[in-house]
């Protein structure tokens, strides 16, 4: 082996997790190396050409609030933006951007290449270097050696990955890239437990072969949007999407060929994503459905490739052509890239602390799709967490762990390291029990202070945040203090808006709480002052949902008592009597950091937690007694018989205590 260089942090893999991890570590002052099998892989979008959507937009907004890059990149390269779930409550509003895949890759690669403290190299990592039980570097297929204080694995779907299309199976990575062969086996040798998952992607078709007049047009929003508060809210709509549907003829072709599908033929052994099933799975599992919707999405501004969202499959190529041509608008379709399934290895996330460091191998971190998630947003969020914590550990600072009530990122990481992943994990709003207070619109208000305190949010971004916060506080101050009296002109205006007149003096916030009322109406008809658009949006949600928010905040305070009860890392769970064997084994493996985390481990019952609480109190009592003895010993090392000394407000005598 030839030692090439030494770094603070090495990141293996330059996908969405790897980019965020490397950027975070470098921006926090660590000399960082980002490695990739191919420089063309940097922030590549091998699946859908989009960022955001239900649950996922919350992650992007939180990444941005903490100082990450995904939101800014999505804004810079979007070709369409839409706010989803507008017919539902604000907790599930979800911004989604259609991205130009090539532009996104080029944008992120440019950011990485021009970031101080960060090197980008094309290498094939073969193994990690372990010395004295710690990870201290990597080796490559060219017998190169790179040393580091921390290594972050962001290997995505590349570990021993296998492409599957009908009867054809070959070693390969996404979009025709090289797989990572050898690293998975070496991780096993170092004691890591490895799982095997499966995911898939639809075909890409040539736009020129489609009949758009037979599909439903899906335009972007007329309103201006942005993921990042660093980006201008503006019209980003440059391309349209289209909606079409499968039909009974489509389903008939799939059913007739179902045993040619690799999954049903027993050729796929990896566990697939339940929330993103293939079209053959949909036809089998939802046999009562006579059609399934398909979104036809542009891959970019400079390509005719279109992505068929909802049509993931690994069926043979002749079957793919046959069922595609039954779909309205696809009668003469030409395929540019076939759909495929991909199987890949990944480390079991139950081996990780909430910092994403491997429990039994200090210095090694794991983040992204290689932790069992699906989606660019989930990967980027984990990469950010791992990069931050690797930098903090190197700097000798406390770890950065977001609680479930603080961020969707907190729920994502906690679910992975506490419950594990028995299938590819997808972030959804339903996974957060605190979703009403963890909205996408208030991510910056929740998290930017934290990002600034750890050194990731720079001064320009922080100044922009303080200005945003000031505007919100001004809007809130007005709505809380302004009152309206039942004057004739006020009541006439209220009645014209379809709401009841006033009978007594009423606060502006109480008027705004009326279901039919908006602040924009109050500005127009009642003469209320104009505020920043984002500040008004945040203020209106806060006022209208005040009661629900208060209940969730009470639940947070209740849960905090369990979260604040910390558990020692050296707790000997296997020797604890009164706790079930299953609970002891699982807690010994997961090493929970708090009673709250322990209570969320599958297989750990409330009775187990009650017993564990007793042990924690006993341990605290013993620790406290030992600290008192040490304090006395330090304060009075030698006493003559009968001599007394004050320790705090307690008198100790030499004839009553041994020192």
């Amino acid at each position: 082996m030839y030692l090439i260089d030494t770094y603070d942090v090495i990141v293996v893999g330059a996908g969405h997790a790897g980019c965020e991890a490397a950027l975070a570590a470098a921006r926090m002052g660590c000399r960082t190396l980002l490695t990739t099998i191919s420089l063309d892989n940097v922030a590549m979008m091998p699946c859908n050409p989009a960022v955001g959507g239900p649950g996922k937009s919350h992650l992007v907004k939180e990444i941005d609030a903490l100082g990450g890059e995904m939101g800014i990149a999505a804004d810079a390269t979007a070709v369409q933006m839409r706010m989803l779930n507008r017919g539902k409550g604000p907790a599930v509003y979800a911004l989604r951007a259609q991205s130009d895949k090539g532009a996104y890759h080029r944008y992120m690669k440019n950011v990485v290449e021009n970031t101080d403290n960060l090197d980008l190299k094309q290498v094939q990592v073969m193994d990690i270097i372990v010395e004295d039980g710690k990870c201290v570097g990597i080796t490559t297929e060219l017998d190169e050696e790179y040393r580091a204080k921390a290594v972050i694995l962001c290997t995505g779907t590349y570990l021993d990955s296998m492409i599957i299309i009908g009867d054809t199976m070959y070693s390969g990575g996404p979009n025709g890239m090289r797989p990572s062969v050898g690293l998975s086996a070496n991780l096993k040798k170092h004691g890591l437990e490895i799982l095997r998952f499966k995911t898939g992607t639809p075909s890409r078709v040539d736009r020129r072969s489609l009949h758009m007049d037979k599909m439903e047009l899906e335009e972007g929003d007329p309103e201006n949007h942005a993921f990042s508060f660093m980006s201008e809210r503006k019209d980003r709509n440059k391309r349209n999407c289209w909606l079409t549907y499968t039909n009974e003829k489509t389903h008939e072709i799939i059913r007739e060929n179902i045993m040619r599908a690799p999954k049903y033929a027993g050729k796929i052994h990896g566990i697939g994503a339940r929330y993103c099933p293939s079209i053959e799975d949909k036809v089998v599992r939802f046999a009562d459905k006579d059609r399934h919707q398909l979104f036809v999405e542009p891959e970019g501004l400079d390509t005719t490739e279109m992505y068929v969202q909802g049509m993931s499959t690994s069926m043979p190529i002749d079957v793919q052509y046959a069922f595609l041509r039954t779909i309205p608008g696809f009668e003469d379709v030409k395929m540019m890239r076939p759909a495929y399934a991909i199987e890949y290895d990944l480390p079991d996330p139950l081996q990780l602390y909430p910092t994403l460091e491997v429990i039994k191998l200090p210095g090694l971190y794991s983040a992204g799709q290689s932790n069992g998630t699906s989606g660019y947003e989930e990967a980027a969020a984990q990469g950010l967490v791992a990069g931050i914590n690797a930098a903090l550990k190197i700097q000798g600072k406390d770890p950065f762990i977001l609680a479930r009530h603080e961020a969707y990122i907190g729920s994502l990481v906690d679910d992975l390291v506490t419950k594990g992943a028995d299938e590819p994990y997808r972030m959804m709003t339903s996974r957060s029990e605190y979703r009403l207070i963890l909205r996408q619109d208030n991510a910056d208000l929740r998290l930017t202070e934290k990002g600034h305190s750890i050194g990731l949010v720079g001064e320009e971004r922080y100044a922009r945040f303080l200005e945003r916060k000031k505007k919100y506080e001004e809007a809130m101050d007005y709505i809380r203090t302004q009152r309206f009296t039942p004057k004739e002109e006020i009541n006439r205006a209220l009645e014209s808006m379809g709401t009841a007149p006033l009978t007594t003096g009423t606060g502006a916030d109480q008027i705004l709480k009326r279901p039919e009322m908006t602040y924009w109406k109050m500005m127009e008809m009642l003469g209320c002052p104009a505020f920043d658009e984002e500040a008004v949006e945040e203020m209106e949600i806060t006022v209208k949902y005040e009661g629900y928010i208060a209940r969730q905040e009470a639940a947070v305070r209740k849960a905090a008592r369990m979260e604040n009860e910390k558990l020692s890392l050296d707790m000997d769970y296997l020797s604890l009597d009164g706790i079930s064997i299953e609970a002891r084994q699982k807690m010994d493996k997961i090493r929970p950091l708090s009673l709250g985390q322990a209570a969320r481990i599958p297989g750990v019952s409330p009775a187990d937690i009650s017993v564990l609480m007793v042990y924690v109190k006993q341990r605290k009592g013993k620790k406290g007694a030992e600290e008192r003895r040490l304090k006395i010993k330090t304060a009075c090392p030698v006493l003559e018989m009968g001599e007394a000394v004050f320790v705090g407000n307690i008198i100790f005598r030499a004839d009553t205590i041994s020192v």
Side-chain angles (χ1 to χ4, degrees), residues 342-379:
I342 181 169
E343 280 193 345
Y344 56 97
D345 284 353
L346 65 148
D348 187 341
L350 289 177
Q351 300 169 104
L352 308 175
Y353 286 122
T355 59
L356 298 184
E357 186 176 22
V358 176
I359 294 171
K360 296 181 179 179
L361 201 52
L364 181 65
Y365 295 74
S366 181
Q369 197 157 352
S370 53
N371 276 350
T373 59
S374 67
Y376 313 140
E377 303 85 356
E378 291 90 339

Side-chain angles (χ1 to χ4, degrees), residues 525-627:
M525 304 301 295
L526 300 180
C528 293
F531 293 101
D532 176 77
E533 182 181 351
E534 292 184 12
V536 168
E537 179 184 357
E538 177 68 18
M539 173 264 283
E540 190 166 322
I541 292 172
T542 301
V543 170
K544 283 184 174 291
Y545 293 88
E546 187 174 37
Y548 299 103
I549 291 171
R551 283 203 288 271
Q552 286 216 337
E553 288 174 342
V556 167
R557 290 191 293 272
K558 183 177 180 181
R561 291 195 289 269
M562 291 281 281
E563 298 301 326
N564 292 335
E565 198 68 66
K566 302 302 180 184
L567 298 175
S568 175
L569 294 180
D570 62 356
M571 179 82 76
D572 184 5
Y573 293 103
L574 297 178
S575 67
L576 300 183
D577 294 328
I579 295 177
S580 70
I581 294 175
E582 180 186 7
R584 278 183 271 169
Q585 290 174 340
K586 288 191 171 181
M587 287 191 288
D588 181 66
K589 177 179 181 179
I590 295 170
R591 313 303 300 176
L593 300 184
S594 69
L595 277 176
Q597 186 187 357
R600 291 189 294 274
I601 298 174
V604 177
S605 69
D608 295 323
I609 294 299
S610 296
V611 176
L612 183 59
M613 289 175 70
V614 173
Y615 279 107
V616 170
K617 289 180 180 179
Q618 289 177 346
R619 189 179 179 115
K620 277 187 174 180
K622 291 178 181 178
K623 185 178 179 182
E626 182 59 35
E627 288 176 349

Side-chain angles (χ1 to χ4, degrees), residues 224-264:
N224 296 333
H225 299 297
F227 277 111
S228 174
F229 67 83
M230 295 294 289
S231 304
E232 178 189 357
R233 279 197 174 195
K234 65 178 184 179
D235 184 359
R236 292 182 166 82
N237 298 313
K238 304 180 184 72
R239 290 289 185 273
N240 293 318
C241 298
W242 283 266
L243 176 63
T244 187
Y245 296 88
T246 63
N247 52 59
E248 184 52 39
K249 181 62 176 175
T250 317
H251 301 175
E252 180 183 342
I253 291 172
I254 292 171
R255 284 193 293 266
E256 288 174 352
N257 291 276
I258 197 66
M259 292 314 295
R260 296 182 66 195
K263 174 182 176 180
Y264 294 93

Side-chain angles (χ1 to χ4, degrees), residues 429-612:
T429 52
S430 60
R431 292 194 189 275
S432 173
E433 61 270 43
Y434 304 112
R435 53 189 171 274
L436 193 52
I437 59 176
L438 303 180
R439 305 182 307 277
Q440 62 171 15
D441 60 271
N442 67 5
D444 51 349
L445 296 175
R446 290 185 279 115
L447 297 175
T448 303
E449 295 278 6
K450 294 180 183 293
H452 185 254
S453 68
I454 61 176
L456 188 54
V457 170
E459 293 310 314
E460 180 187 356
R461 190 186 284 244
Y462 191 59
R464 189 83 63 89
F465 159 72
L466 291 178
E467 182 63 25
R468 150 95 164 95
K469 184 179 179 183
K470 179 183 177 183
K471 291 176 180 177
Y472 165 68
E473 290 172 346
E474 288 173 351
M476 285 301 301
D477 182 65
Y478 172 81
I479 206 72
R480 293 295 194 204
T481 58
Q482 178 65 25
R483 292 184 66 80
F484 291 91
T485 56
K487 295 179 180 179
E488 182 179 349
E489 63 270 22
I490 295 294
N491 282 339
R492 189 163 53 245
L494 289 171
E495 288 175 333
S496 72
M497 290 185 280
T499 191
L502 303 180
T503 58
T504 185
T506 305
D509 57 345
Q510 297 306 308
I511 296 175
L512 183 57
K513 282 183 179 180
R514 296 179 178 185
E516 65 277 7
M517 188 59 64
T518 68
Y519 190 74
W520 304 112
K521 290 181 180 179
M522 294 174 67
M523 286 171 53
E524 180 182 357
M525 304 301 295
L526 300 180
C528 293
F531 293 101
D532 176 77
E533 182 181 351
E534 292 184 12
V536 168
E537 179 184 357
E538 177 68 18
M539 173 264 283
E540 190 166 322
I541 292 172
T542 301
V543 170
K544 283 184 174 291
Y545 293 88
E546 187 174 37
Y548 299 103
I549 291 171
R551 283 203 288 271
Q552 286 216 337
E553 288 174 342
V556 167
R557 290 191 293 272
K558 183 177 180 181
R561 291 195 289 269
M562 291 281 281
E563 298 301 326
N564 292 335
E565 198 68 66
K566 302 302 180 184
L567 298 175
S568 175
L569 294 180
D570 62 356
M571 179 82 76
D572 184 5
Y573 293 103
L574 297 178
S575 67
L576 300 183
D577 294 328
I579 295 177
S580 70
I581 294 175
E582 180 186 7
R584 278 183 271 169
Q585 290 174 340
K586 288 191 171 181
M587 287 191 288
D588 181 66
K589 177 179 181 179
I590 295 170
R591 313 303 300 176
L593 300 184
S594 69
L595 277 176
Q597 186 187 357
R600 291 189 294 274
I601 298 174
V604 177
S605 69
D608 295 323
I609 294 299
S610 296
V611 176
L612 183 59

